Amino acid sequence: ETGVTQTPRHLVMGMTNKKSLKCEQHLGHNAMYWYKQSAKKPLELMFVYNFKEQTENNSVPSRFSPECPNSSHLFLHLHTLQPEDSALYLCASSSPSKASAYQETQYFGPGTRLLVL
Amino acid sequence: AQTVTQSQPEMSVQEAETVTLSCTYDTSESDYYLFWYKQPPSRQMILVIRQEAYKQQNATENRFSVNFQKAAKSFSLKISDSQLGDAAMYFCAYNGRSSGDKLTFGTGTRLAVRP
């Protein structure tokens, strides 16, 4: 596998279910990101992890719980979601240095299409 | 806060023709990067081209080039000799020094390529 992979690609869940999204990067990067993509809205950054430490939580509801066990893996644990949480969830990775983080390109996975019933 | 605006929700181009997608942004910073990402139906977001604000020369990548107008805060993408595989959503994104590694995206432009 190369690049950034995400599983599952599609997920349908009820509001009382618990599920997890998985992201894996094979690029040797040290930072990983979760984005939410809803129709006709800009991508929303949810979480940022750098060297396994969470550096950003963009006011995301607690029903979304991220986990980053190492620099190559990122999870998003979902529980008691709402229908408005239905969206495409994208994972990305990069190698930002402290001095030049803004210069680095982020590489994205194919996303997980989530439908909450 | 920085904002990125893509005013064209949809565009269409004839195969082999040229199309320009527009993007404007708002920032008070002088040191930043701009990106164009392509998202085909497979949904994988792919970097098309990037531009450093301090470089006056417009970036080019094969058939893709940008028209970067720093004073006007405009960053348009030109696709020459359009191909069927260019059909996708195109997102403009901004990242400034103060933002670290947090990209700000526009709402995207859906490009259709007519055979």
Side-chain angles (χ1 to χ4, degrees), chain A residues 33 35 43-45 92 102 104-106 108, chain B residues 33-35 37 93-96 99-105:
Chain A
Y33 313 80
Y35 288 89
L43 269 74
E44 302 171 56
L45 180 65
Y102 69 113
E104 297 303 321
T105 297
Q106 293 183 17
F108 287 79
Chain B
Y33 273 72
L34 296 162
F35 305 83
Y37 280 91
Y94 166 100
N95 203 355
S99 306
D101 55 351
K102 293 180 274 295
L103 285 168
T104 300
F105 283 87

mmCIF file with all atom_site columns, all heavy atoms in Angstrom, chain A residues 33 35 43-45 92 102 104-106 108, chain B residues 33-35 37 93-96 99-105:
data_model
loop_
_atom_site.group_PDB
_atom_site.id
_atom_site.type_symbol
_atom_site.label_atom_id
_atom_site.label_alt_id
_atom_site.label_comp_id
_atom_site.label_asym_id
_atom_site.label_entity_id
_atom_site.label_seq_id
_atom_site.pdbx_PDB_ins_code
_atom_site.Cartn_x
_atom_site.Cartn_y
_atom_site.Cartn_z
_atom_site.occupancy
_atom_site.B_iso_or_equiv
_atom_site.pdbx_formal_charge
_atom_site.auth_seq_id
_atom_site.auth_comp_id
_atom_site.auth_asym_id
_atom_site.auth_atom_id
_atom_site.pdbx_PDB_model_num
ATOM 1   N N   . TYR A 1 33  ? -4.202  14.320 10.120 1.00 0.00 ? 33  TYR A N   1
ATOM 2   C CA  . TYR A 1 33  ? -5.336  15.236 10.245 1.00 0.00 ? 33  TYR A CA  1
ATOM 3   C C   . TYR A 1 33  ? -6.642  14.525 9.930  1.00 0.00 ? 33  TYR A C   1
ATOM 4   O O   . TYR A 1 33  ? -6.682  13.643 9.066  1.00 0.00 ? 33  TYR A O   1
ATOM 5   C CB  . TYR A 1 33  ? -5.187  16.386 9.227  1.00 0.00 ? 33  TYR A CB  1
ATOM 6   C CG  . TYR A 1 33  ? -3.825  17.036 9.174  1.00 0.00 ? 33  TYR A CG  1
ATOM 7   C CD1 . TYR A 1 33  ? -2.778  16.444 8.480  1.00 0.00 ? 33  TYR A CD1 1
ATOM 8   C CD2 . TYR A 1 33  ? -3.599  18.248 9.815  1.00 0.00 ? 33  TYR A CD2 1
ATOM 9   C CE1 . TYR A 1 33  ? -1.527  17.035 8.426  1.00 0.00 ? 33  TYR A CE1 1
ATOM 10  C CE2 . TYR A 1 33  ? -2.348  18.853 9.760  1.00 0.00 ? 33  TYR A CE2 1
ATOM 11  C CZ  . TYR A 1 33  ? -1.322  18.239 9.071  1.00 0.00 ? 33  TYR A CZ  1
ATOM 12  O OH  . TYR A 1 33  ? -0.079  18.829 9.026  1.00 0.00 ? 33  TYR A OH  1
ATOM 13  N N   . TYR A 1 35  ? -10.440 15.658 8.560  1.00 0.00 ? 35  TYR A N   1
ATOM 14  C CA  . TYR A 1 35  ? -11.285 16.702 8.006  1.00 0.00 ? 35  TYR A CA  1
ATOM 15  C C   . TYR A 1 35  ? -12.691 16.144 7.794  1.00 0.00 ? 35  TYR A C   1
ATOM 16  O O   . TYR A 1 35  ? -12.863 14.965 7.484  1.00 0.00 ? 35  TYR A O   1
ATOM 17  C CB  . TYR A 1 35  ? -10.782 17.152 6.623  1.00 0.00 ? 35  TYR A CB  1
ATOM 18  C CG  . TYR A 1 35  ? -9.522  17.969 6.619  1.00 0.00 ? 35  TYR A CG  1
ATOM 19  C CD1 . TYR A 1 35  ? -8.266  17.357 6.557  1.00 0.00 ? 35  TYR A CD1 1
ATOM 20  C CD2 . TYR A 1 35  ? -9.578  19.358 6.638  1.00 0.00 ? 35  TYR A CD2 1
ATOM 21  C CE1 . TYR A 1 35  ? -7.110  18.117 6.519  1.00 0.00 ? 35  TYR A CE1 1
ATOM 22  C CE2 . TYR A 1 35  ? -8.422  20.125 6.591  1.00 0.00 ? 35  TYR A CE2 1
ATOM 23  C CZ  . TYR A 1 35  ? -7.196  19.498 6.529  1.00 0.00 ? 35  TYR A CZ  1
ATOM 24  O OH  . TYR A 1 35  ? -6.047  20.253 6.488  1.00 0.00 ? 35  TYR A OH  1
ATOM 25  N N   . LEU A 1 43  ? -13.987 22.320 3.352  1.00 0.00 ? 43  LEU A N   1
ATOM 26  C CA  . LEU A 1 43  ? -13.489 21.280 4.250  1.00 0.00 ? 43  LEU A CA  1
ATOM 27  C C   . LEU A 1 43  ? -13.267 21.873 5.636  1.00 0.00 ? 43  LEU A C   1
ATOM 28  O O   . LEU A 1 43  ? -12.723 22.962 5.785  1.00 0.00 ? 43  LEU A O   1
ATOM 29  C CB  . LEU A 1 43  ? -12.154 20.718 3.751  1.00 0.00 ? 43  LEU A CB  1
ATOM 30  C CG  . LEU A 1 43  ? -12.217 19.509 2.838  1.00 0.00 ? 43  LEU A CG  1
ATOM 31  C CD1 . LEU A 1 43  ? -12.683 19.918 1.457  1.00 0.00 ? 43  LEU A CD1 1
ATOM 32  C CD2 . LEU A 1 43  ? -10.866 18.822 2.759  1.00 0.00 ? 43  LEU A CD2 1
ATOM 33  N N   . GLU A 1 44  ? -13.702 21.136 6.645  1.00 0.00 ? 44  GLU A N   1
ATOM 34  C CA  . GLU A 1 44  ? -13.544 21.585 8.016  1.00 0.00 ? 44  GLU A CA  1
ATOM 35  C C   . GLU A 1 44  ? -12.488 20.738 8.708  1.00 0.00 ? 44  GLU A C   1
ATOM 36  O O   . GLU A 1 44  ? -12.632 19.517 8.791  1.00 0.00 ? 44  GLU A O   1
ATOM 37  C CB  . GLU A 1 44  ? -14.859 21.432 8.783  1.00 0.00 ? 44  GLU A CB  1
ATOM 38  C CG  . GLU A 1 44  ? -16.043 22.166 8.198  1.00 0.00 ? 44  GLU A CG  1
ATOM 39  C CD  . GLU A 1 44  ? -17.332 21.771 8.905  1.00 0.00 ? 44  GLU A CD  1
ATOM 40  O OE1 . GLU A 1 44  ? -17.396 21.919 10.148 1.00 0.00 ? 44  GLU A OE1 1
ATOM 41  O OE2 . GLU A 1 44  ? -18.268 21.307 8.233  1.00 0.00 ? 44  GLU A OE2 1
ATOM 42  N N   . LEU A 1 45  ? -11.445 21.391 9.189  1.00 0.00 ? 45  LEU A N   1
ATOM 43  C CA  . LEU A 1 45  ? -10.436 20.679 9.963  1.00 0.00 ? 45  LEU A CA  1
ATOM 44  C C   . LEU A 1 45  ? -11.030 20.306 11.316 1.00 0.00 ? 45  LEU A C   1
ATOM 45  O O   . LEU A 1 45  ? -11.608 21.143 12.002 1.00 0.00 ? 45  LEU A O   1
ATOM 46  C CB  . LEU A 1 45  ? -9.204  21.562 10.152 1.00 0.00 ? 45  LEU A CB  1
ATOM 47  C CG  . LEU A 1 45  ? -8.059  20.972 10.950 1.00 0.00 ? 45  LEU A CG  1
ATOM 48  C CD1 . LEU A 1 45  ? -7.464  19.771 10.231 1.00 0.00 ? 45  LEU A CD1 1
ATOM 49  C CD2 . LEU A 1 45  ? -6.996  22.030 11.210 1.00 0.00 ? 45  LEU A CD2 1
ATOM 50  N N   . ALA A 1 92  ? -5.583  13.088 6.305  1.00 0.00 ? 92  ALA A N   1
ATOM 51  C CA  . ALA A 1 92  ? -4.427  13.594 5.571  1.00 0.00 ? 92  ALA A CA  1
ATOM 52  C C   . ALA A 1 92  ? -3.184  13.467 6.444  1.00 0.00 ? 92  ALA A C   1
ATOM 53  O O   . ALA A 1 92  ? -3.277  13.308 7.658  1.00 0.00 ? 92  ALA A O   1
ATOM 54  C CB  . ALA A 1 92  ? -4.638  15.054 5.159  1.00 0.00 ? 92  ALA A CB  1
ATOM 55  N N   . TYR A 1 102 ? 3.604   25.758 7.434  1.00 0.00 ? 102 TYR A N   1
ATOM 56  C CA  . TYR A 1 102 ? 2.639   26.236 6.452  1.00 0.00 ? 102 TYR A CA  1
ATOM 57  C C   . TYR A 1 102 ? 3.064   25.944 5.021  1.00 0.00 ? 102 TYR A C   1
ATOM 58  O O   . TYR A 1 102 ? 2.290   26.082 4.101  1.00 0.00 ? 102 TYR A O   1
ATOM 59  C CB  . TYR A 1 102 ? 2.429   27.741 6.643  1.00 0.00 ? 102 TYR A CB  1
ATOM 60  C CG  . TYR A 1 102 ? 3.633   28.587 6.269  1.00 0.00 ? 102 TYR A CG  1
ATOM 61  C CD1 . TYR A 1 102 ? 3.585   29.436 5.174  1.00 0.00 ? 102 TYR A CD1 1
ATOM 62  C CD2 . TYR A 1 102 ? 4.803   28.543 7.013  1.00 0.00 ? 102 TYR A CD2 1
ATOM 63  C CE1 . TYR A 1 102 ? 4.673   30.216 4.825  1.00 0.00 ? 102 TYR A CE1 1
ATOM 64  C CE2 . TYR A 1 102 ? 5.893   29.310 6.672  1.00 0.00 ? 102 TYR A CE2 1
ATOM 65  C CZ  . TYR A 1 102 ? 5.827   30.150 5.584  1.00 0.00 ? 102 TYR A CZ  1
ATOM 66  O OH  . TYR A 1 102 ? 6.915   30.912 5.243  1.00 0.00 ? 102 TYR A OH  1
ATOM 67  N N   . GLU A 1 104 ? 4.195   23.005 3.951  1.00 0.00 ? 104 GLU A N   1
ATOM 68  C CA  . GLU A 1 104 ? 4.143   21.584 3.627  1.00 0.00 ? 104 GLU A CA  1
ATOM 69  C C   . GLU A 1 104 ? 2.832   21.183 2.973  1.00 0.00 ? 104 GLU A C   1
ATOM 70  O O   . GLU A 1 104 ? 1.750   21.595 3.401  1.00 0.00 ? 104 GLU A O   1
ATOM 71  C CB  . GLU A 1 104 ? 4.352   20.751 4.891  1.00 0.00 ? 104 GLU A CB  1
ATOM 72  C CG  . GLU A 1 104 ? 5.714   20.955 5.545  1.00 0.00 ? 104 GLU A CG  1
ATOM 73  C CD  . GLU A 1 104 ? 6.858   20.652 4.600  1.00 0.00 ? 104 GLU A CD  1
ATOM 74  O OE1 . GLU A 1 104 ? 6.748   19.682 3.821  1.00 0.00 ? 104 GLU A OE1 1
ATOM 75  O OE2 . GLU A 1 104 ? 7.861   21.389 4.636  1.00 0.00 ? 104 GLU A OE2 1
ATOM 76  N N   . THR A 1 105 ? 2.933   20.351 1.978  1.00 0.00 ? 105 THR A N   1
ATOM 77  C CA  . THR A 1 105 ? 1.759   19.810 1.293  1.00 0.00 ? 105 THR A CA  1
ATOM 78  C C   . THR A 1 105 ? 1.149   18.708 2.147  1.00 0.00 ? 105 THR A C   1
ATOM 79  O O   . THR A 1 105 ? 1.872   17.879 2.704  1.00 0.00 ? 105 THR A O   1
ATOM 80  C CB  . THR A 1 105 ? 2.162   19.238 -0.072 1.00 0.00 ? 105 THR A CB  1
ATOM 81  O OG1 . THR A 1 105 ? 2.674   20.304 -0.872 1.00 0.00 ? 105 THR A OG1 1
ATOM 82  C CG2 . THR A 1 105 ? 0.982   18.591 -0.770 1.00 0.00 ? 105 THR A CG2 1
ATOM 83  N N   . GLN A 1 106 ? -0.165  18.710 2.230  1.00 0.00 ? 106 GLN A N   1
ATOM 84  C CA  . GLN A 1 106 ? -0.860  17.625 2.900  1.00 0.00 ? 106 GLN A CA  1
ATOM 85  C C   . GLN A 1 106 ? -1.325  16.613 1.855  1.00 0.00 ? 106 GLN A C   1
ATOM 86  O O   . GLN A 1 106 ? -1.818  16.982 0.794  1.00 0.00 ? 106 GLN A O   1
ATOM 87  C CB  . GLN A 1 106 ? -2.046  18.168 3.701  1.00 0.00 ? 106 GLN A CB  1
ATOM 88  C CG  . GLN A 1 106 ? -1.598  19.028 4.876  1.00 0.00 ? 106 GLN A CG  1
ATOM 89  C CD  . GLN A 1 106 ? -2.734  19.515 5.739  1.00 0.00 ? 106 GLN A CD  1
ATOM 90  O OE1 . GLN A 1 106 ? -3.848  18.995 5.698  1.00 0.00 ? 106 GLN A OE1 1
ATOM 91  N NE2 . GLN A 1 106 ? -2.459  20.521 6.553  1.00 0.00 ? 106 GLN A NE2 1
ATOM 92  N N   . PHE A 1 108 ? -3.777  13.427 1.057  1.00 0.00 ? 108 PHE A N   1
ATOM 93  C CA  . PHE A 1 108 ? -5.068  12.966 1.526  1.00 0.00 ? 108 PHE A CA  1
ATOM 94  C C   . PHE A 1 108 ? -5.347  11.510 1.171  1.00 0.00 ? 108 PHE A C   1
ATOM 95  O O   . PHE A 1 108 ? -4.871  10.994 0.159  1.00 0.00 ? 108 PHE A O   1
ATOM 96  C CB  . PHE A 1 108 ? -6.188  13.826 0.912  1.00 0.00 ? 108 PHE A CB  1
ATOM 97  C CG  . PHE A 1 108 ? -6.278  15.198 1.494  1.00 0.00 ? 108 PHE A CG  1
ATOM 98  C CD1 . PHE A 1 108 ? -5.417  16.199 1.098  1.00 0.00 ? 108 PHE A CD1 1
ATOM 99  C CD2 . PHE A 1 108 ? -7.233  15.487 2.462  1.00 0.00 ? 108 PHE A CD2 1
ATOM 100 C CE1 . PHE A 1 108 ? -5.500  17.481 1.636  1.00 0.00 ? 108 PHE A CE1 1
ATOM 101 C CE2 . PHE A 1 108 ? -7.331  16.757 3.018  1.00 0.00 ? 108 PHE A CE2 1
ATOM 102 C CZ  . PHE A 1 108 ? -6.454  17.755 2.597  1.00 0.00 ? 108 PHE A CZ  1
ATOM 103 N N   . TYR B 2 33  ? 1.341   30.240 1.574  1.00 0.00 ? 33  TYR B N   1
ATOM 104 C CA  . TYR B 2 33  ? 1.317   29.369 0.409  1.00 0.00 ? 33  TYR B CA  1
ATOM 105 C C   . TYR B 2 33  ? -0.131  29.205 -0.048 1.00 0.00 ? 33  TYR B C   1
ATOM 106 O O   . TYR B 2 33  ? -1.060  29.241 0.757  1.00 0.00 ? 33  TYR B O   1
ATOM 107 C CB  . TYR B 2 33  ? 1.879   27.982 0.746  1.00 0.00 ? 33  TYR B CB  1
ATOM 108 C CG  . TYR B 2 33  ? 3.373   27.885 0.614  1.00 0.00 ? 33  TYR B CG  1
ATOM 109 C CD1 . TYR B 2 33  ? 4.209   28.502 1.541  1.00 0.00 ? 33  TYR B CD1 1
ATOM 110 C CD2 . TYR B 2 33  ? 3.950   27.179 -0.422 1.00 0.00 ? 33  TYR B CD2 1
ATOM 111 C CE1 . TYR B 2 33  ? 5.581   28.417 1.427  1.00 0.00 ? 33  TYR B CE1 1
ATOM 112 C CE2 . TYR B 2 33  ? 5.326   27.087 -0.547 1.00 0.00 ? 33  TYR B CE2 1
ATOM 113 C CZ  . TYR B 2 33  ? 6.135   27.706 0.382  1.00 0.00 ? 33  TYR B CZ  1
ATOM 114 O OH  . TYR B 2 33  ? 7.494   27.621 0.258  1.00 0.00 ? 33  TYR B OH  1
ATOM 115 N N   . LEU B 2 34  ? -0.283  29.003 -1.349 1.00 0.00 ? 34  LEU B N   1
ATOM 116 C CA  . LEU B 2 34  ? -1.591  28.729 -1.930 1.00 0.00 ? 34  LEU B CA  1
ATOM 117 C C   . LEU B 2 34  ? -1.520  27.406 -2.681 1.00 0.00 ? 34  LEU B C   1
ATOM 118 O O   . LEU B 2 34  ? -0.490  27.069 -3.275 1.00 0.00 ? 34  LEU B O   1
ATOM 119 C CB  . LEU B 2 34  ? -2.003  29.851 -2.879 1.00 0.00 ? 34  LEU B CB  1
ATOM 120 C CG  . LEU B 2 34  ? -2.207  31.214 -2.216 1.00 0.00 ? 34  LEU B CG  1
ATOM 121 C CD1 . LEU B 2 34  ? -2.172  32.328 -3.252 1.00 0.00 ? 34  LEU B CD1 1
ATOM 122 C CD2 . LEU B 2 34  ? -3.533  31.237 -1.463 1.00 0.00 ? 34  LEU B CD2 1
ATOM 123 N N   . PHE B 2 35  ? -2.622  26.683 -2.658 1.00 0.00 ? 35  PHE B N   1
ATOM 124 C CA  . PHE B 2 35  ? -2.657  25.353 -3.249 1.00 0.00 ? 35  PHE B CA  1
ATOM 125 C C   . PHE B 2 35  ? -3.928  25.189 -4.079 1.00 0.00 ? 35  PHE B C   1
ATOM 126 O O   . PHE B 2 35  ? -4.976  25.747 -3.757 1.00 0.00 ? 35  PHE B O   1
ATOM 127 C CB  . PHE B 2 35  ? -2.685  24.270 -2.155 1.00 0.00 ? 35  PHE B CB  1
ATOM 128 C CG  . PHE B 2 35  ? -1.564  24.338 -1.160 1.00 0.00 ? 35  PHE B CG  1
ATOM 129 C CD1 . PHE B 2 35  ? -1.634  25.207 -0.073 1.00 0.00 ? 35  PHE B CD1 1
ATOM 130 C CD2 . PHE B 2 35  ? -0.453  23.526 -1.279 1.00 0.00 ? 35  PHE B CD2 1
ATOM 131 C CE1 . PHE B 2 35  ? -0.603  25.274 0.872  1.00 0.00 ? 35  PHE B CE1 1
ATOM 132 C CE2 . PHE B 2 35  ? 0.573   23.571 -0.344 1.00 0.00 ? 35  PHE B CE2 1
ATOM 133 C CZ  . PHE B 2 35  ? 0.502   24.448 0.728  1.00 0.00 ? 35  PHE B CZ  1
ATOM 134 N N   . TYR B 2 37  ? -6.099  21.835 -5.163 1.00 0.00 ? 37  TYR B N   1
ATOM 135 C CA  . TYR B 2 37  ? -6.284  20.396 -5.033 1.00 0.00 ? 37  TYR B CA  1
ATOM 136 C C   . TYR B 2 37  ? -7.399  19.964 -5.977 1.00 0.00 ? 37  TYR B C   1
ATOM 137 O O   . TYR B 2 37  ? -8.377  20.677 -6.190 1.00 0.00 ? 37  TYR B O   1
ATOM 138 C CB  . TYR B 2 37  ? -6.683  20.014 -3.602 1.00 0.00 ? 37  TYR B CB  1
ATOM 139 C CG  . TYR B 2 37  ? -5.549  19.933 -2.613 1.00 0.00 ? 37  TYR B CG  1
ATOM 140 C CD1 . TYR B 2 37  ? -5.167  21.036 -1.869 1.00 0.00 ? 37  TYR B CD1 1
ATOM 141 C CD2 . TYR B 2 37  ? -4.875  18.731 -2.402 1.00 0.00 ? 37  TYR B CD2 1
ATOM 142 C CE1 . TYR B 2 37  ? -4.140  20.953 -0.942 1.00 0.00 ? 37  TYR B CE1 1
ATOM 143 C CE2 . TYR B 2 37  ? -3.844  18.638 -1.469 1.00 0.00 ? 37  TYR B CE2 1
ATOM 144 C CZ  . TYR B 2 37  ? -3.492  19.752 -0.752 1.00 0.00 ? 37  TYR B CZ  1
ATOM 145 O OH  . TYR B 2 37  ? -2.472  19.660 0.176  1.00 0.00 ? 37  TYR B OH  1
ATOM 146 N N   . ALA B 2 93  ? -6.833  26.370 -1.713 1.00 0.00 ? 93  ALA B N   1
ATOM 147 C CA  . ALA B 2 93  ? -6.551  26.350 -0.276 1.00 0.00 ? 93  ALA B CA  1
ATOM 148 C C   . ALA B 2 93  ? -5.420  27.314 0.044  1.00 0.00 ? 93  ALA B C   1
ATOM 149 O O   . ALA B 2 93  ? -4.531  27.561 -0.779 1.00 0.00 ? 93  ALA B O   1
ATOM 150 C CB  . ALA B 2 93  ? -6.201  24.934 0.175  1.00 0.00 ? 93  ALA B CB  1
ATOM 151 N N   . TYR B 2 94  ? -5.468  27.807 1.260  1.00 0.00 ? 94  TYR B N   1
ATOM 152 C CA  . TYR B 2 94  ? -4.496  28.806 1.748  1.00 0.00 ? 94  TYR B CA  1
ATOM 153 C C   . TYR B 2 94  ? -3.861  28.283 3.029  1.00 0.00 ? 94  TYR B C   1
ATOM 154 O O   . TYR B 2 94  ? -4.519  27.646 3.861  1.00 0.00 ? 94  TYR B O   1
ATOM 155 C CB  . TYR B 2 94  ? -5.246  30.105 2.039  1.00 0.00 ? 94  TYR B CB  1
ATOM 156 C CG  . TYR B 2 94  ? -4.476  31.131 2.845  1.00 0.00 ? 94  TYR B CG  1
ATOM 157 C CD1 . TYR B 2 94  ? -3.849  32.203 2.211  1.00 0.00 ? 94  TYR B CD1 1
ATOM 158 C CD2 . TYR B 2 94  ? -4.372  31.039 4.225  1.00 0.00 ? 94  TYR B CD2 1
ATOM 159 C CE1 . TYR B 2 94  ? -3.148  33.150 2.941  1.00 0.00 ? 94  TYR B CE1 1
ATOM 160 C CE2 . TYR B 2 94  ? -3.664  31.976 4.963  1.00 0.00 ? 94  TYR B CE2 1
ATOM 161 C CZ  . TYR B 2 94  ? -3.062  33.020 4.312  1.00 0.00 ? 94  TYR B CZ  1
ATOM 162 O OH  . TYR B 2 94  ? -2.359  33.953 5.045  1.00 0.00 ? 94  TYR B OH  1
ATOM 163 N N   . ASN B 2 95  ? -2.566  28.582 3.173  1.00 0.00 ? 95  ASN B N   1
ATOM 164 C CA  . ASN B 2 95  ? -1.907  28.293 4.443  1.00 0.00 ? 95  ASN B CA  1
ATOM 165 C C   . ASN B 2 95  ? -0.886  29.376 4.722  1.00 0.00 ? 95  ASN B C   1
ATOM 166 O O   . ASN B 2 95  ? 0.048   29.568 3.945  1.00 0.00 ? 95  ASN B O   1
ATOM 167 C CB  . ASN B 2 95  ? -1.236  26.912 4.398  1.00 0.00 ? 95  ASN B CB  1
ATOM 168 C CG  . ASN B 2 95  ? -1.038  26.341 5.785  1.00 0.00 ? 95  ASN B CG  1
ATOM 169 O OD1 . ASN B 2 95  ? -1.310  27.009 6.783  1.00 0.00 ? 95  ASN B OD1 1
ATOM 170 N ND2 . ASN B 2 95  ? -0.564  25.122 5.861  1.00 0.00 ? 95  ASN B ND2 1
ATOM 171 N N   . GLY B 2 96  ? -1.094  30.089 5.801  1.00 0.00 ? 96  GLY B N   1
ATOM 172 C CA  . GLY B 2 96  ? -0.204  31.173 6.155  1.00 0.00 ? 96  GLY B CA  1
ATOM 173 C C   . GLY B 2 96  ? 0.719   30.808 7.302  1.00 0.00 ? 96  GLY B C   1
ATOM 174 O O   . GLY B 2 96  ? 0.460   29.863 8.039  1.00 0.00 ? 96  GLY B O   1
ATOM 175 N N   . SER B 2 99  ? -0.800  30.231 10.595 1.00 0.00 ? 99  SER B N   1
ATOM 176 C CA  . SER B 2 99  ? -1.733  29.102 10.693 1.00 0.00 ? 99  SER B CA  1
ATOM 177 C C   . SER B 2 99  ? -1.013  27.791 10.962 1.00 0.00 ? 99  SER B C   1
ATOM 178 O O   . SER B 2 99  ? -1.667  26.781 11.239 1.00 0.00 ? 99  SER B O   1
ATOM 179 C CB  . SER B 2 99  ? -2.534  28.958 9.394  1.00 0.00 ? 99  SER B CB  1
ATOM 180 O OG  . SER B 2 99  ? -3.168  30.149 9.049  1.00 0.00 ? 99  SER B OG  1
ATOM 181 N N   . GLY B 2 100 ? 0.289   27.789 10.853 1.00 0.00 ? 100 GLY B N   1
ATOM 182 C CA  . GLY B 2 100 ? 1.011   26.536 10.998 1.00 0.00 ? 100 GLY B CA  1
ATOM 183 C C   . GLY B 2 100 ? 0.656   25.594 9.872  1.00 0.00 ? 100 GLY B C   1
ATOM 184 O O   . GLY B 2 100 ? 0.836   25.924 8.716  1.00 0.00 ? 100 GLY B O   1
ATOM 185 N N   . ASP B 2 101 ? 0.120   24.421 10.216 1.00 0.00 ? 101 ASP B N   1
ATOM 186 C CA  . ASP B 2 101 ? -0.205  23.441 9.181  1.00 0.00 ? 101 ASP B CA  1
ATOM 187 C C   . ASP B 2 101 ? -1.713  23.317 8.985  1.00 0.00 ? 101 ASP B C   1
ATOM 188 O O   . ASP B 2 101 ? -2.193  22.282 8.542  1.00 0.00 ? 101 ASP B O   1
ATOM 189 C CB  . ASP B 2 101 ? 0.406   22.082 9.516  1.00 0.00 ? 101 ASP B CB  1
ATOM 190 C CG  . ASP B 2 101 ? 0.003   21.580 10.893 1.00 0.00 ? 101 ASP B CG  1
ATOM 191 O OD1 . ASP B 2 101 ? -0.614  22.365 11.655 1.00 0.00 ? 101 ASP B OD1 1
ATOM 192 O OD2 . ASP B 2 101 ? 0.291   20.415 11.203 1.00 0.00 ? 101 ASP B OD2 1
ATOM 193 N N   . LYS B 2 102 ? -2.464  24.355 9.297  1.00 0.00 ? 102 LYS B N   1
ATOM 194 C CA  . LYS B 2 102 ? -3.913  24.299 9.183  1.00 0.00 ? 102 LYS B CA  1
ATOM 195 C C   . LYS B 2 102 ? -4.378  25.000 7.915  1.00 0.00 ? 102 LYS B C   1
ATOM 196 O O   . LYS B 2 102 ? -4.396  26.218 7.813  1.00 0.00 ? 102 LYS B O   1
ATOM 197 C CB  . LYS B 2 102 ? -4.549  24.932 10.420 1.00 0.00 ? 102 LYS B CB  1
ATOM 198 C CG  . LYS B 2 102 ? -4.290  24.114 11.688 1.00 0.00 ? 102 LYS B CG  1
ATOM 199 C CD  . LYS B 2 102 ? -4.919  24.721 12.904 1.00 0.00 ? 102 LYS B CD  1
ATOM 200 C CE  . LYS B 2 102 ? -4.035  25.763 13.540 1.00 0.00 ? 102 LYS B CE  1
ATOM 201 N NZ  . LYS B 2 102 ? -2.784  25.170 14.070 1.00 0.00 ? 102 LYS B NZ  1
ATOM 202 N N   . LEU B 2 103 ? -4.767  24.196 6.937  1.00 0.00 ? 103 LEU B N   1
ATOM 203 C CA  . LEU B 2 103 ? -5.225  24.715 5.653  1.00 0.00 ? 103 LEU B CA  1
ATOM 204 C C   . LEU B 2 103 ? -6.623  25.326 5.752  1.00 0.00 ? 103 LEU B C   1
ATOM 205 O O   . LEU B 2 103 ? -7.468  24.813 6.467  1.00 0.00 ? 103 LEU B O   1
ATOM 206 C CB  . LEU B 2 103 ? -5.270  23.584 4.629  1.00 0.00 ? 103 LEU B CB  1
ATOM 207 C CG  . LEU B 2 103 ? -3.944  23.082 4.057  1.00 0.00 ? 103 LEU B CG  1
ATOM 208 C CD1 . LEU B 2 103 ? -4.168  21.777 3.308  1.00 0.00 ? 103 LEU B CD1 1
ATOM 209 C CD2 . LEU B 2 103 ? -3.355  24.119 3.125  1.00 0.00 ? 103 LEU B CD2 1
ATOM 210 N N   . THR B 2 104 ? -6.836  26.394 4.987  1.00 0.00 ? 104 THR B N   1
ATOM 211 C CA  . THR B 2 104 ? -8.178  26.953 4.816  1.00 0.00 ? 104 THR B CA  1
ATOM 212 C C   . THR B 2 104 ? -8.591  26.715 3.375  1.00 0.00 ? 104 THR B C   1
ATOM 213 O O   . THR B 2 104 ? -7.891  27.120 2.448  1.00 0.00 ? 104 THR B O   1
ATOM 214 C CB  . THR B 2 104 ? -8.185  28.468 5.110  1.00 0.00 ? 104 THR B CB  1
ATOM 215 O OG1 . THR B 2 104 ? -7.763  28.694 6.447  1.00 0.00 ? 104 THR B OG1 1
ATOM 216 C CG2 . THR B 2 104 ? -9.582  29.038 4.914  1.00 0.00 ? 104 THR B CG2 1
ATOM 217 N N   . PHE B 2 105 ? -9.733  26.048 3.201  1.00 0.00 ? 105 PHE B N   1
ATOM 218 C CA  . PHE B 2 105 ? -10.202 25.663 1.866  1.00 0.00 ? 105 PHE B CA  1
ATOM 219 C C   . PHE B 2 105 ? -11.349 26.545 1.399  1.00 0.00 ? 105 PHE B C   1
ATOM 220 O O   . PHE B 2 105 ? -12.125 27.071 2.214  1.00 0.00 ? 105 PHE B O   1
ATOM 221 C CB  . PHE B 2 105 ? -10.701 24.216 1.877  1.00 0.00 ? 105 PHE B CB  1
ATOM 222 C CG  . PHE B 2 105 ? -9.624  23.179 1.879  1.00 0.00 ? 105 PHE B CG  1
ATOM 223 C CD1 . PHE B 2 105 ? -9.067  22.746 3.075  1.00 0.00 ? 105 PHE B CD1 1
ATOM 224 C CD2 . PHE B 2 105 ? -9.160  22.627 0.701  1.00 0.00 ? 105 PHE B CD2 1
ATOM 225 C CE1 . PHE B 2 105 ? -8.073  21.786 3.094  1.00 0.00 ? 105 PHE B CE1 1
ATOM 226 C CE2 . PHE B 2 105 ? -8.171  21.657 0.710  1.00 0.00 ? 105 PHE B CE2 1
ATOM 227 C CZ  . PHE B 2 105 ? -7.624  21.238 1.911  1.00 0.00 ? 105 PHE B CZ  1
#
